[in-house]
Every structure is written in structure tokens, then in C-alpha cells.
Amino acid sequence: MADNEAFTYNGGKVEPGETQDIRYGISETYLGDPVRIPVTIINGERAGPTVFLSAAAHGDELNGIEVVREVAYEWDLADLAGTLVCMPVMNVPAFLAQQRYLPIYDRDLNRSFPGSETSTGAKRMAHRIYQNFIAPCDLGIDFHTSTRGRTNMLHVRADMSDPAVARLANAFGSHVIIDSSGSSGMLRTESSANGTPAITVEMGEAHRFQRELIDEALAGVESVFAEYGLRGTSTVNWPGWRTVISDENEKTWLRADVGGIVDMHHDRGALVHEGDRICTITNPFKDDNVTVVAPFTGLLVGVLENPVVYPGNPLCHLVELKDKVRRVVEREQSGSPETTR
């Protein structure tokens, strides 16, 4: 196999066979001190794709941080074919404040890509991250969690109409892929549109390290590495069953019609049947119960964690399953395994 090439960024170079830990300046504080993000670049001696792994574009979404750190610092990458660009904490100001958005006019870093040298502070940060560490890559995975007060089962979000993105999404090996092009300014959306296929991995809830989900995501990364030849010892993972949700009619957010205190009857990832009780909303006296039922048979991709709601607040994210997949999930959740493609 051919030798690899050096990875270059504005201000530095990582030669084949080298690893660099960088604190890269992307902005300045009100006091004029630098705002730096941690970046680890592992450049293998053998040629292969350049892959970015990013997390904490929203500062309170922590699960992905541990995924990126474990790949960068605990995996044996001595025989890596290609280059890894690992960014465990992209939104450093929000991470320090332990909040979702930049504490600078509350802007969303993940709606600011690919950024601009002359626009808002968020877009200037996004520009420096994007030009130095995203644009040079061949593909990438951006890790997220649900927002505060809700939790997601691990799933991939990807534009499946793009063959290069679909290949990456399938290689990750999750049970659920939600097919969407994404919003303007999203890292995965802008990266894919500019020639670097990227997916979002959603997993768990904010302000937590959730070991089971972290391990599941690490298995997905290993599967991607196998698909693209970064590690010869890895194998591409088939999750046993998979559903790609591409029609708006196949998914819905159930929302509260009344305010109150919520008792959820199912966890994330549970299969519920049409008419099943998903949750009950009560007042403080428990004398005016409202039962929320499943409008169709489907999988609870996301559920409420914070048990209090106003009218209109989301309760759960329900996705419909094709009959064949539904039967497999029923058998799996009842303890009788079966697989299908």
C-alpha cells in the first residue's frame, strides 16, 4: 500500500506516522484571551481516507466526547491506513458554560457552518473549524445527544439520497436511520454538500456519560473504519435489523395537550403498538389524568426525561416500522432473536 501524505492546517503539519495534540485558536474572549479547541490528528503511515470525528457542537452534549476521546487515545492505531481528525469538544465556550448554545448571543454553532471570516462570532468560529479540520477530510461523523430533558436511542441522521452519505450511514450499523437532508448550517449538511460525506449520530441525553450508548457508538465507528479500510482488523457490522425512515408520515412527535406531571410507561427504543399507553399526564392531585396512546405501531426513538410539561411540549418521537422489521423487533424484545435485511 502507498505511503500516506502529510496533513496540513493553517499553522501546522502532521507528517505520516505522527500524532499531534493541538489547542487550536478559533476566537477570543471579551478579555482578548484565545478561545482554543482541542484537536488530535493521527496520521497513519499508510495511505487511506481522512476522517473527522467531532462532538460537543452543542456544549452540553457529552456522550460523543467520550467516543471521540476513546478512539483517539485508547484504540491501537499503529497500523492506521489514513488520517483521523478528532475534535472531542468543538463548542468550547458552551462546554465551559455547560449549555447548548454559544454564550455569545445564544447562537447555535451547528447552524453556522461552513462559516464566514467576516460574519458573526459563531460563523467565524465555524469557518476556522471547517476550513482547517473538516474540508480536508473525505468523510466524517458528528456526534450529538438529545436536548436537555429528553433522551434518544442511538440512531443515525443522514441524507440517504446522496449515495456517498448513504454508504457511510449504512456502514455505521445502527438499527435506525432517519433520512433527511438536514437544516442549513448543520455540519453534516454543509460538509456533505461540499464533498465530504457526513452523518449525525444521535445518542442519549445531555449532561451525561452513558456507557452503553458510548460502547454502541464505538462499535459503529469501528464498522465505518472497516468499510473504508482504515483498520484491517475490523469488520463491517450488520445490526440484525434496520429501518430507514424517509417519509414524514412514518414519524411523528407526540406532544402534550395539557400541562402537568408525566409518567412515561416505556423507555427509549421500546416498540409500542397502536393504542398502547405511552404516558399519563396528571395534575398535582392526580384527579384529572390524561392518557397519551400510540397513534400507530412503532419504535420510540426519543422520549421525555424531564417529567413536567406545558401544553405543546414534546413527549416522544415515534417512528413507524415496516411489517417485516416490526416482526423482528417484536421477537428481539420478547427475547427470541431473529435477523432480517
Side-chain angles (χ1 to χ4, degrees):
M1 184 176 289
D3 292 339
N4 205 0
E5 298 179 351
F7 180 92
T8 60
Y9 58 94
N10 186 12
K13 177 189 293 188
V14 185
E15 297 289 350
E18 289 186 351
T19 295
Q20 283 188 20
D21 292 330
I22 306 159
R23 292 186 182 271
Y24 194 81
I26 61 168
S27 189
E28 294 178 355
T29 70
Y30 293 130
L31 297 176
D33 297 324
V35 173
R36 298 186 178 101
I37 67 166
V39 184
T40 296
I41 300 170
I42 304 122
N43 199 6
E45 292 184 353
R46 298 183 296 145
T50 300
V51 180
F52 76 81
L53 303 176
S54 58
H58 296 133
D60 58 356
E61 298 182 0
L62 307 184
N63 276 327
I65 295 174
E66 195 61 10
V67 176
V68 177
R69 291 200 314 160
E70 289 196 23
V71 173
Y73 310 126
E74 296 186 21
W75 282 18
D76 181 0
L77 301 172
D79 292 328
L80 181 71
T83 305
L84 290 183
V85 179
C86 298
M87 295 174 283
V89 183
M90 282 199 299
N91 194 337
V92 166
F95 175 76
L96 294 175
Q98 273 302 282
Q99 66 183 48
R100 180 177 177 85
Y101 299 129
L102 283 160
I104 307 160
Y105 303 115
D106 222 23
R107 294 188 184 274
D108 188 346
L109 184 63
N110 200 36
R111 294 297 185 277
S112 303
F113 291 99
S116 167
E117 285 186 286
T118 58
S119 186
T120 65
K123 288 191 174 182
R124 291 179 189 222
M125 292 182 193
H127 173 79
R128 292 183 182 179
I129 294 170
Y130 189 88
Q131 293 301 320
N132 285 285
F133 305 116
I134 304 296
C137 294
D138 298 304
L139 61 137
I141 306 173
D142 188 29
F143 293 95
H144 287 259
T145 76
S146 186
T147 191
R148 184 176 59 185
R150 301 202 297 269
T151 185
N152 287 328
M153 67 177 290
L154 186 143
H155 66 279
V156 165
R157 298 188 180 187
D159 182 359
M160 299 298 280
S161 67
D162 183 331
V165 174
R167 178 189 176 193
L168 175 57
N170 286 324
F172 192 82
S174 64
H175 286 303
V176 176
I177 299 173
I178 295 182
D179 177 12
S180 70
S181 58
S183 301
S184 175
M186 278 185 177
L187 176 54
R188 74 167 171 96
T189 301
E190 302 300 337
S191 177
S192 298
N194 287 292
T196 301
I199 60 173
T200 295
V201 174
E202 293 279 352
M203 48 186 295
E205 60 184 291
H207 297 292
R208 298 284 187 276
F209 277 165
Q210 294 166 288
R211 190 68 243 177
E212 179 183 356
L213 293 169
I214 291 166
D215 288 342
E216 195 175 344
L218 286 166
V221 175
E222 188 168 15
S223 181
V224 168
F225 283 11
E227 171 69 17
Y228 292 90
L230 281 91
R231 295 178 85 197
T233 57
S234 303
T235 57
V236 180
N237 178 48
W238 166 246
W241 59 269
R242 174 181 289 139
T243 184
V244 178
I245 307 299
S246 56
D247 187 336
E248 286 298 325
N249 294 327
E250 295 177 329
K251 59 187 175 184
T252 187
W253 276 99
L254 298 186
R255 294 182 178 273
D257 290 328
V258 298
I261 300 168
V262 181
D263 181 14
M264 293 295 303
H265 304 308
H266 301 275
D267 292 330
R268 64 170 188 262
L271 179 70
V272 295
H273 294 83
E274 183 177 353
D276 283 354
R277 287 191 314 157
I278 291 179
C279 65
T280 304
I281 306 174
T282 64
N283 65 23
F285 309 107
K286 286 197 169 184
D287 61 2
D288 190 18
N289 295 356
V290 173
T291 300
V292 178
V293 301
F296 54 80
T297 297
L299 199 67
L300 290 173
V301 171
V303 297
L304 190 72
E305 284 286 305
N306 184 352
V308 293
V309 291
Y310 276 108
N313 285 168
L315 298 167
C316 67
H317 189 191
L318 182 66
V319 301
E320 193 169 7
L321 301 176
K322 301 292 191 296
D323 287 344
K324 188 175 182 181
V325 173
R326 175 182 55 77
R327 289 194 296 270
V328 174
V329 177
E330 286 174 336
R331 291 186 178 94
E332 182 182 90
Q333 295 197 359
S334 68
S336 176
E338 181 181 314
T339 60
T340 186
R341 288 185 184 272

